[in-house]
mmCIF file of all heavy atoms in Angstrom:
data_model
loop_
_atom_site.group_PDB
_atom_site.id
_atom_site.type_symbol
_atom_site.label_atom_id
_atom_site.label_comp_id
_atom_site.label_asym_id
_atom_site.label_seq_id
_atom_site.Cartn_x
_atom_site.Cartn_y
_atom_site.Cartn_z
ATOM 1 N N VAL A 359 106.821 30.396 89.822
ATOM 2 C CA VAL A 359 107.804 30.972 88.845
ATOM 3 C C VAL A 359 109.206 30.479 89.204
ATOM 4 O O VAL A 359 109.635 30.494 90.350
ATOM 5 C CB VAL A 359 107.742 32.533 88.911
ATOM 6 C CG1 VAL A 359 108.907 33.119 88.140
ATOM 7 C CG2 VAL A 359 106.438 33.049 88.389
ATOM 8 N N GLU A 360 109.881 29.997 88.187
ATOM 9 C CA GLU A 360 111.226 29.521 88.345
ATOM 10 C C GLU A 360 112.186 30.689 88.302
ATOM 11 O O GLU A 360 112.102 31.554 87.416
ATOM 12 C CB GLU A 360 111.624 28.647 87.088
ATOM 13 C CG GLU A 360 111.587 27.178 87.325
ATOM 14 C CD GLU A 360 111.958 26.510 86.018
ATOM 15 O OE1 GLU A 360 112.991 26.880 85.373
ATOM 16 O OE2 GLU A 360 111.186 25.664 85.544
ATOM 17 N N ALA A 361 113.175 30.664 89.187
ATOM 18 C CA ALA A 361 114.129 31.770 89.217
ATOM 19 C C ALA A 361 114.913 31.835 87.895
ATOM 20 O O ALA A 361 115.134 32.948 87.354
ATOM 21 C CB ALA A 361 115.097 31.645 90.392
ATOM 22 N N ARG A 362 115.285 30.707 87.335
ATOM 23 C CA ARG A 362 116.151 30.694 86.177
ATOM 24 C C ARG A 362 115.483 31.266 84.938
ATOM 25 O O ARG A 362 115.981 32.124 84.260
ATOM 26 C CB ARG A 362 116.608 29.263 85.919
ATOM 27 C CG ARG A 362 117.862 29.147 85.037
ATOM 28 C CD ARG A 362 118.431 27.744 85.146
ATOM 29 N NE ARG A 362 117.387 26.718 85.011
ATOM 30 C CZ ARG A 362 116.990 26.198 83.868
ATOM 31 N NH1 ARG A 362 117.570 26.562 82.745
ATOM 32 N NH2 ARG A 362 116.051 25.278 83.830
ATOM 33 N N SER A 363 114.221 30.728 84.660
ATOM 34 C CA SER A 363 113.565 31.123 83.432
ATOM 35 C C SER A 363 112.625 32.316 83.663
ATOM 36 O O SER A 363 112.212 32.968 82.705
ATOM 37 C CB SER A 363 112.750 29.964 82.882
ATOM 38 O OG SER A 363 111.725 29.588 83.822
ATOM 39 N N GLY A 364 112.291 32.605 84.910
ATOM 40 C CA GLY A 364 111.315 33.642 85.187
ATOM 41 C C GLY A 364 109.917 33.279 84.805
ATOM 42 O O GLY A 364 109.013 34.138 84.725
ATOM 43 N N LYS A 365 109.705 31.951 84.522
ATOM 44 C CA LYS A 365 108.371 31.497 84.074
ATOM 45 C C LYS A 365 107.882 30.306 84.890
ATOM 46 O O LYS A 365 108.687 29.564 85.403
ATOM 47 C CB LYS A 365 108.445 31.047 82.611
ATOM 48 C CG LYS A 365 108.709 32.167 81.669
ATOM 49 C CD LYS A 365 108.346 31.792 80.258
ATOM 50 C CE LYS A 365 108.365 33.015 79.365
ATOM 51 N NZ LYS A 365 107.330 33.944 79.743
ATOM 52 N N PRO A 366 106.589 30.182 85.027
ATOM 53 C CA PRO A 366 106.070 29.020 85.802
ATOM 54 C C PRO A 366 105.676 27.862 84.864
ATOM 55 O O PRO A 366 105.018 26.903 85.328
ATOM 56 C CB PRO A 366 104.868 29.603 86.518
ATOM 57 C CG PRO A 366 104.312 30.602 85.497
ATOM 58 C CD PRO A 366 105.512 31.102 84.699
ATOM 59 N N CYS A 367 105.941 27.995 83.557
ATOM 60 C CA CYS A 367 105.286 27.057 82.600
ATOM 61 C C CYS A 367 105.604 25.567 82.793
ATOM 62 O O CYS A 367 104.764 24.707 82.680
ATOM 63 C CB CYS A 367 105.615 27.494 81.174
ATOM 64 S SG CYS A 367 104.906 29.091 80.767
ATOM 65 N N ALA A 368 106.850 25.269 83.144
ATOM 66 C CA ALA A 368 107.215 23.868 83.348
ATOM 67 C C ALA A 368 106.394 23.343 84.532
ATOM 68 O O ALA A 368 105.773 22.224 84.468
ATOM 69 C CB ALA A 368 108.695 23.723 83.599
ATOM 70 N N ALA A 369 106.311 24.093 85.595
ATOM 71 C CA ALA A 369 105.567 23.669 86.799
ATOM 72 C C ALA A 369 104.098 23.601 86.492
ATOM 73 O O ALA A 369 103.352 22.673 86.913
ATOM 74 C CB ALA A 369 105.871 24.620 87.956
ATOM 75 N N CYS A 370 103.623 24.591 85.720
ATOM 76 C CA CYS A 370 102.186 24.624 85.350
ATOM 77 C C CYS A 370 101.819 23.367 84.565
ATOM 78 O O CYS A 370 100.766 22.806 84.804
ATOM 79 C CB CYS A 370 101.923 25.894 84.510
ATOM 80 S SG CYS A 370 100.222 26.112 83.997
ATOM 81 N N GLY A 371 102.716 22.913 83.695
ATOM 82 C CA GLY A 371 102.488 21.707 82.950
ATOM 83 C C GLY A 371 102.357 20.502 83.862
ATOM 84 O O GLY A 371 101.464 19.684 83.709
ATOM 85 N N THR A 372 103.239 20.450 84.845
ATOM 86 C CA THR A 372 103.169 19.353 85.860
ATOM 87 C C THR A 372 101.839 19.419 86.618
ATOM 88 O O THR A 372 101.213 18.366 86.797
ATOM 89 C CB THR A 372 104.347 19.471 86.855
ATOM 90 O OG1 THR A 372 105.558 19.524 86.105
ATOM 91 C CG2 THR A 372 104.386 18.332 87.844
ATOM 92 N N VAL A 373 101.435 20.615 87.025
ATOM 93 C CA VAL A 373 100.192 20.763 87.775
ATOM 94 C C VAL A 373 99.031 20.242 86.963
ATOM 95 O O VAL A 373 98.168 19.472 87.451
ATOM 96 C CB VAL A 373 99.977 22.245 88.145
ATOM 97 C CG1 VAL A 373 98.543 22.508 88.585
ATOM 98 C CG2 VAL A 373 100.982 22.719 89.197
ATOM 99 N N LYS A 374 98.968 20.675 85.705
ATOM 100 C CA LYS A 374 97.804 20.238 84.882
ATOM 101 C C LYS A 374 97.788 18.756 84.633
ATOM 102 O O LYS A 374 96.788 18.109 84.810
ATOM 103 C CB LYS A 374 97.838 21.024 83.531
ATOM 104 C CG LYS A 374 97.456 22.524 83.727
ATOM 105 C CD LYS A 374 97.358 23.255 82.399
ATOM 106 C CE LYS A 374 98.727 23.697 81.913
ATOM 107 N NZ LYS A 374 98.638 24.718 80.861
ATOM 108 N N ARG A 375 98.978 18.236 84.248
ATOM 109 C CA ARG A 375 99.015 16.759 84.002
ATOM 110 C C ARG A 375 98.631 15.985 85.225
ATOM 111 O O ARG A 375 97.889 14.999 85.141
ATOM 112 C CB ARG A 375 100.429 16.364 83.544
ATOM 113 C CG ARG A 375 100.690 16.598 82.051
ATOM 114 C CD ARG A 375 101.992 15.924 81.639
ATOM 115 N NE ARG A 375 103.143 16.454 82.361
ATOM 116 C CZ ARG A 375 103.779 17.580 81.996
ATOM 117 N NH1 ARG A 375 103.419 18.221 80.927
ATOM 118 N NH2 ARG A 375 104.825 17.985 82.702
ATOM 119 N N TYR A 376 99.094 16.446 86.407
ATOM 120 C CA TYR A 376 98.774 15.732 87.638
ATOM 121 C C TYR A 376 97.299 15.681 87.894
ATOM 122 O O TYR A 376 96.710 14.630 88.152
ATOM 123 C CB TYR A 376 99.507 16.448 88.793
ATOM 124 C CG TYR A 376 99.130 15.934 90.178
ATOM 125 C CD1 TYR A 376 99.790 14.857 90.729
ATOM 126 C CD2 TYR A 376 98.103 16.551 90.901
ATOM 127 C CE1 TYR A 376 99.470 14.450 92.031
ATOM 128 C CE2 TYR A 376 97.764 16.104 92.156
ATOM 129 C CZ TYR A 376 98.439 15.016 92.715
ATOM 130 O OH TYR A 376 98.103 14.595 93.960
ATOM 131 N N HIS A 377 96.637 16.865 87.797
ATOM 132 C CA HIS A 377 95.203 16.889 88.108
ATOM 133 C C HIS A 377 94.355 16.154 87.076
ATOM 134 O O HIS A 377 93.387 15.522 87.405
ATOM 135 C CB HIS A 377 94.728 18.303 88.340
ATOM 136 C CG HIS A 377 95.211 18.849 89.626
ATOM 137 N ND1 HIS A 377 94.749 18.376 90.834
ATOM 138 C CD2 HIS A 377 96.176 19.799 89.932
ATOM 139 C CE1 HIS A 377 95.387 19.001 91.852
ATOM 140 N NE2 HIS A 377 96.244 19.867 91.308
ATOM 141 N N PHE A 378 94.736 16.288 85.799
ATOM 142 C CA PHE A 378 93.959 15.559 84.754
ATOM 143 C C PHE A 378 94.046 14.060 85.048
ATOM 144 O O PHE A 378 93.048 13.354 84.990
ATOM 145 C CB PHE A 378 94.502 15.873 83.363
ATOM 146 C CG PHE A 378 94.244 17.310 82.913
ATOM 147 C CD1 PHE A 378 95.192 18.048 82.290
ATOM 148 C CD2 PHE A 378 92.994 17.878 83.201
ATOM 149 C CE1 PHE A 378 94.960 19.376 81.927
ATOM 150 C CE2 PHE A 378 92.759 19.217 82.852
ATOM 151 C CZ PHE A 378 93.748 19.957 82.189
ATOM 152 N N ASN A 379 95.240 13.597 85.354
ATOM 153 C CA ASN A 379 95.373 12.165 85.612
ATOM 154 C C ASN A 379 94.678 11.775 86.888
ATOM 155 O O ASN A 379 93.954 10.725 86.885
ATOM 156 C CB ASN A 379 96.895 11.843 85.755
ATOM 157 C CG ASN A 379 97.115 10.356 85.928
ATOM 158 O OD1 ASN A 379 96.896 9.581 84.972
ATOM 159 N ND2 ASN A 379 97.466 9.922 87.128
ATOM 160 N N LYS A 380 94.830 12.551 87.948
ATOM 161 C CA LYS A 380 94.246 12.140 89.230
ATOM 162 C C LYS A 380 92.720 12.106 89.136
ATOM 163 O O LYS A 380 92.087 11.145 89.602
ATOM 164 C CB LYS A 380 94.715 13.165 90.296
ATOM 165 C CG LYS A 380 94.327 12.821 91.706
ATOM 166 C CD LYS A 380 95.192 13.637 92.672
ATOM 167 C CE LYS A 380 94.936 13.180 94.112
ATOM 168 N NZ LYS A 380 93.773 13.885 94.676
ATOM 169 N N VAL A 381 92.140 13.161 88.577
ATOM 170 C CA VAL A 381 90.659 13.195 88.505
ATOM 171 C C VAL A 381 90.169 12.053 87.656
ATOM 172 O O VAL A 381 89.182 11.369 87.974
ATOM 173 C CB VAL A 381 90.178 14.573 87.967
ATOM 174 C CG1 VAL A 381 88.701 14.544 87.614
ATOM 175 C CG2 VAL A 381 90.469 15.661 88.994
ATOM 176 N N ALA A 382 90.882 11.827 86.519
ATOM 177 C CA ALA A 382 90.437 10.737 85.617
ATOM 178 C C ALA A 382 90.508 9.367 86.326
ATOM 179 O O ALA A 382 89.588 8.589 86.242
ATOM 180 C CB ALA A 382 91.318 10.691 84.376
ATOM 181 N N ALA A 383 91.592 9.154 87.091
ATOM 182 C CA ALA A 383 91.784 7.878 87.806
ATOM 183 C C ALA A 383 90.707 7.739 88.840
ATOM 184 O O ALA A 383 90.093 6.675 88.977
ATOM 185 C CB ALA A 383 93.189 7.791 88.389
ATOM 186 N N GLU A 384 90.491 8.778 89.614
ATOM 187 C CA GLU A 384 89.540 8.697 90.742
ATOM 188 C C GLU A 384 88.100 8.533 90.284
ATOM 189 O O GLU A 384 87.329 7.886 90.963
ATOM 190 C CB GLU A 384 89.673 9.921 91.652
ATOM 191 C CG GLU A 384 90.970 9.844 92.472
ATOM 192 C CD GLU A 384 91.224 11.110 93.296
ATOM 193 O OE1 GLU A 384 90.438 12.086 93.252
ATOM 194 O OE2 GLU A 384 92.241 11.118 93.997
ATOM 195 N N LEU A 385 87.765 9.153 89.166
ATOM 196 C CA LEU A 385 86.369 9.090 88.686
ATOM 197 C C LEU A 385 86.146 8.018 87.637
ATOM 198 O O LEU A 385 85.077 7.924 87.082
ATOM 199 C CB LEU A 385 85.937 10.484 88.151
ATOM 200 C CG LEU A 385 85.990 11.632 89.184
ATOM 201 C CD1 LEU A 385 85.497 12.924 88.534
ATOM 202 C CD2 LEU A 385 85.144 11.329 90.420
ATOM 203 N N GLY A 386 87.192 7.206 87.416
ATOM 204 C CA GLY A 386 87.012 6.062 86.527
ATOM 205 C C GLY A 386 86.893 6.344 85.015
ATOM 206 O O GLY A 386 86.263 5.614 84.300
ATOM 207 N N TYR A 387 87.549 7.418 84.580
ATOM 208 C CA TYR A 387 87.596 7.673 83.132
ATOM 209 C C TYR A 387 88.616 6.717 82.504
ATOM 210 O O TYR A 387 89.644 6.368 83.106
ATOM 211 C CB TYR A 387 87.973 9.129 82.830
ATOM 212 C CG TYR A 387 86.796 10.059 83.126
ATOM 213 C CD1 TYR A 387 86.696 10.668 84.348
ATOM 214 C CD2 TYR A 387 85.851 10.292 82.162
ATOM 215 C CE1 TYR A 387 85.631 11.492 84.613
ATOM 216 C CE2 TYR A 387 84.749 11.118 82.424
ATOM 217 C CZ TYR A 387 84.634 11.704 83.651
ATOM 218 O OH TYR A 387 83.586 12.545 83.921
ATOM 219 N N ASP A 388 88.352 6.308 81.244
ATOM 220 C CA ASP A 388 89.263 5.408 80.544
ATOM 221 C C ASP A 388 90.441 6.088 79.937
ATOM 222 O O ASP A 388 91.488 5.497 79.714
ATOM 223 C CB ASP A 388 88.471 4.657 79.448
ATOM 224 C CG ASP A 388 87.381 3.783 80.045
ATOM 225 O OD1 ASP A 388 87.732 2.795 80.677
ATOM 226 O OD2 ASP A 388 86.171 4.144 79.882
ATOM 227 N N VAL A 389 90.245 7.393 79.610
ATOM 228 C CA VAL A 389 91.288 8.072 78.870
ATOM 229 C C VAL A 389 91.152 9.603 79.066
ATOM 230 O O VAL A 389 90.067 10.103 79.293
ATOM 231 C CB VAL A 389 91.171 7.670 77.354
ATOM 232 C CG1 VAL A 389 89.801 8.002 76.824
ATOM 233 C CG2 VAL A 389 92.244 8.267 76.499
ATOM 234 N N VAL A 390 92.323 10.298 79.073
ATOM 235 C CA VAL A 390 92.340 11.739 79.086
ATOM 236 C C VAL A 390 92.667 12.210 77.703
ATOM 237 O O VAL A 390 93.675 11.768 77.107
ATOM 238 C CB VAL A 390 93.411 12.257 80.098
ATOM 239 C CG1 VAL A 390 93.593 13.775 79.992
ATOM 240 C CG2 VAL A 390 93.069 11.880 81.513
ATOM 241 N N ALA A 391 91.846 13.110 77.164
ATOM 242 C CA ALA A 391 92.153 13.654 75.800
ATOM 243 C C ALA A 391 92.539 15.132 75.923
ATOM 244 O O ALA A 391 91.853 15.890 76.603
ATOM 245 C CB ALA A 391 90.880 13.525 74.924
ATOM 246 N N THR A 392 93.621 15.471 75.291
ATOM 247 C CA THR A 392 94.061 16.891 75.291
ATOM 248 C C THR A 392 94.002 17.469 73.876
ATOM 249 O O THR A 392 93.987 16.717 72.904
ATOM 250 C CB THR A 392 95.537 17.027 75.825
ATOM 251 O OG1 THR A 392 96.385 16.232 74.997
ATOM 252 C CG2 THR A 392 95.615 16.568 77.249
ATOM 253 N N GLY A 393 93.916 18.795 73.778
ATOM 254 C CA GLY A 393 93.734 19.486 72.520
ATOM 255 C C GLY A 393 95.021 19.765 71.735
ATOM 256 O O GLY A 393 94.979 20.607 70.852
ATOM 257 N N HIS A 394 96.119 19.097 72.075
ATOM 258 C CA HIS A 394 97.391 19.404 71.319
ATOM 259 C C HIS A 394 97.153 19.235 69.843
ATOM 260 O O HIS A 394 96.684 18.192 69.360
ATOM 261 C CB HIS A 394 98.495 18.440 71.775
ATOM 262 C CG HIS A 394 98.927 18.683 73.184
ATOM 263 N ND1 HIS A 394 98.443 17.945 74.258
ATOM 264 C CD2 HIS A 394 99.763 19.615 73.706
ATOM 265 C CE1 HIS A 394 98.996 18.382 75.338
ATOM 266 N NE2 HIS A 394 99.793 19.416 75.072
ATOM 267 N N ASN A 395 97.575 20.299 69.076
ATOM 268 C CA ASN A 395 97.412 20.233 67.608
ATOM 269 C C ASN A 395 98.739 20.027 66.925
ATOM 270 O O ASN A 395 99.764 19.896 67.596
ATOM 271 C CB ASN A 395 96.748 21.558 67.200
ATOM 272 C CG ASN A 395 97.553 22.763 67.611
ATOM 273 O OD1 ASN A 395 98.768 22.782 67.461
ATOM 274 N ND2 ASN A 395 96.894 23.761 68.143
ATOM 275 N N LEU A 396 98.731 20.026 65.594
ATOM 276 C CA LEU A 396 99.927 19.775 64.803
ATOM 277 C C LEU A 396 101.034 20.805 65.117
ATOM 278 O O LEU A 396 102.194 20.424 65.274
ATOM 279 C CB LEU A 396 99.542 19.861 63.337
ATOM 280 C CG LEU A 396 100.678 19.803 62.307
ATOM 281 C CD1 LEU A 396 101.419 18.499 62.398
ATOM 282 C CD2 LEU A 396 100.096 19.981 60.910
ATOM 283 N N ASP A 397 100.652 22.031 65.261
ATOM 284 C CA ASP A 397 101.658 23.074 65.541
ATOM 285 C C ASP A 397 102.299 22.860 66.935
ATOM 286 O O ASP A 397 103.487 23.071 67.101
ATOM 287 C CB ASP A 397 101.061 24.479 65.489
ATOM 288 C CG ASP A 397 100.602 24.826 64.100
ATOM 289 O OD1 ASP A 397 99.712 24.083 63.545
ATOM 290 O OD2 ASP A 397 101.098 25.795 63.487
ATOM 291 N N ASP A 398 101.454 22.516 67.917
ATOM 292 C CA ASP A 398 102.030 22.220 69.257
ATOM 293 C C ASP A 398 103.032 21.085 69.193
ATOM 294 O O ASP A 398 104.118 21.155 69.759
ATOM 295 C CB ASP A 398 100.893 21.784 70.220
ATOM 296 C CG ASP A 398 99.877 22.858 70.467
ATOM 297 O OD1 ASP A 398 100.249 24.036 70.455
ATOM 298 O OD2 ASP A 398 98.697 22.510 70.692
ATOM 299 N N GLU A 399 102.601 20.018 68.544
ATOM 300 C CA GLU A 399 103.440 18.810 68.517
ATOM 301 C C GLU A 399 104.693 18.999 67.687
ATOM 302 O O GLU A 399 105.777 18.542 68.056
ATOM 303 C CB GLU A 399 102.638 17.633 67.981
ATOM 304 C CG GLU A 399 101.505 17.202 68.908
ATOM 305 C CD GLU A 399 102.011 16.728 70.262
ATOM 306 O OE1 GLU A 399 102.609 15.658 70.370
ATOM 307 O OE2 GLU A 399 101.798 17.472 71.241
ATOM 308 N N ALA A 400 104.557 19.744 66.547
ATOM 309 C CA ALA A 400 105.743 19.984 65.732
ATOM 310 C C ALA A 400 106.718 20.891 66.472
ATOM 311 O O ALA A 400 107.943 20.698 66.419
ATOM 312 C CB ALA A 400 105.321 20.589 64.385
ATOM 313 N N ALA A 401 106.188 21.874 67.241
ATOM 314 C CA ALA A 401 107.064 22.781 67.998
ATOM 315 C C ALA A 401 107.783 22.005 69.107
ATOM 316 O O ALA A 401 108.963 22.240 69.374
ATOM 317 C CB ALA A 401 106.230 23.944 68.566
ATOM 318 N N THR A 402 107.047 21.119 69.786
ATOM 319 C CA THR A 402 107.669 20.332 70.823
ATOM 320 C C THR A 402 108.767 19.427 70.262
ATOM 321 O O THR A 402 109.867 19.353 70.800
ATOM 322 C CB THR A 402 106.624 19.439 71.546
ATOM 323 O OG1 THR A 402 105.604 20.283 72.052
ATOM 324 C CG2 THR A 402 107.224 18.621 72.636
ATOM 325 N N LEU A 403 108.499 18.831 69.132
ATOM 326 C CA LEU A 403 109.474 17.978 68.442
ATOM 327 C C LEU A 403 110.688 18.781 68.083
ATOM 328 O O LEU A 403 111.846 18.378 68.347
ATOM 329 C CB LEU A 403 108.867 17.305 67.204
ATOM 330 C CG LEU A 403 109.809 16.527 66.309
ATOM 331 C CD1 LEU A 403 110.448 15.395 67.099
ATOM 332 C CD2 LEU A 403 109.051 15.977 65.098
ATOM 333 N N PHE A 404 110.468 19.943 67.522
ATOM 334 C CA PHE A 404 111.573 20.812 67.136
ATOM 335 C C PHE A 404 112.430 21.171 68.320
ATOM 336 O O PHE A 404 113.619 21.081 68.278
ATOM 337 C CB PHE A 404 110.987 22.103 66.465
ATOM 338 C CG PHE A 404 112.011 22.921 65.757
ATOM 339 C CD1 PHE A 404 112.561 22.479 64.564
ATOM 340 C CD2 PHE A 404 112.437 24.110 66.297
ATOM 341 C CE1 PHE A 404 113.531 23.262 63.897
ATOM 342 C CE2 PHE A 404 113.408 24.875 65.659
ATOM 343 C CZ PHE A 404 113.935 24.447 64.459
ATOM 344 N N GLY A 405 111.767 21.561 69.393
ATOM 345 C CA GLY A 405 112.490 21.915 70.627
ATOM 346 C C GLY A 405 113.299 20.741 71.196
ATOM 347 O O GLY A 405 114.453 20.889 71.617
ATOM 348 N N ASN A 406 112.709 19.587 71.154
ATOM 349 C CA ASN A 406 113.398 18.404 71.685
ATOM 350 C C ASN A 406 114.555 18.003 70.777
ATOM 351 O O ASN A 406 115.539 17.456 71.251
ATOM 352 C CB ASN A 406 112.443 17.231 71.828
ATOM 353 C CG ASN A 406 111.530 17.382 73.044
ATOM 354 O OD1 ASN A 406 111.909 18.071 73.990
ATOM 355 N ND2 ASN A 406 110.349 16.796 73.046
ATOM 356 N N LEU A 407 114.484 18.312 69.509
ATOM 357 C CA LEU A 407 115.612 18.024 68.608
ATOM 358 C C LEU A 407 116.722 19.055 68.818
ATOM 359 O O LEU A 407 117.885 18.730 68.890
ATOM 360 C CB LEU A 407 115.166 18.023 67.160
ATOM 361 C CG LEU A 407 114.324 16.829 66.706
ATOM 362 C CD1 LEU A 407 113.758 17.019 65.315
ATOM 363 C CD2 LEU A 407 115.158 15.542 66.806
ATOM 364 N N VAL A 408 116.286 20.335 68.927
ATOM 365 C CA VAL A 408 117.298 21.377 69.111
ATOM 366 C C VAL A 408 118.129 21.131 70.348
ATOM 367 O O VAL A 408 119.320 21.295 70.348
ATOM 368 C CB VAL A 408 116.601 22.777 69.175
ATOM 369 C CG1 VAL A 408 117.578 23.841 69.665
ATOM 370 C CG2 VAL A 408 116.015 23.181 67.842
ATOM 371 N N HIS A 409 117.440 20.653 71.395
ATOM 372 C CA HIS A 409 118.201 20.418 72.630
ATOM 373 C C HIS A 409 118.558 18.945 72.844
ATOM 374 O O HIS A 409 119.006 18.552 73.900
ATOM 375 C CB HIS A 409 117.329 20.911 73.825
ATOM 376 C CG HIS A 409 117.071 22.389 73.732
ATOM 377 N ND1 HIS A 409 118.058 23.332 74.013
ATOM 378 C CD2 HIS A 409 116.001 23.097 73.356
ATOM 379 C CE1 HIS A 409 117.580 24.526 73.821
ATOM 380 N NE2 HIS A 409 116.362 24.451 73.426
#
Side-chain angles (χ1 to χ4, degrees):
Chain A
V359 170
E360 256 179 52
R362 198 166 47 90
S363 63
K365 293 198 169 293
C367 295
C370 181
T372 306
V373 166
K374 287 185 278 196
R375 276 191 300 276
Y376 173 87
H377 287 291
F378 292 137
N379 184 70
K380 187 161 185 278
V381 169
E384 285 174 359
L385 300 180
Y387 286 93
D388 297 290
V389 58
V390 172
T392 57
H394 292 97
N395 57 46
L396 173 62
D397 295 61
D398 296 327
E399 293 298 289
T402 302
L403 173 59
F404 191 73
N406 284 336
L407 286 173
V408 168
H409 298 286

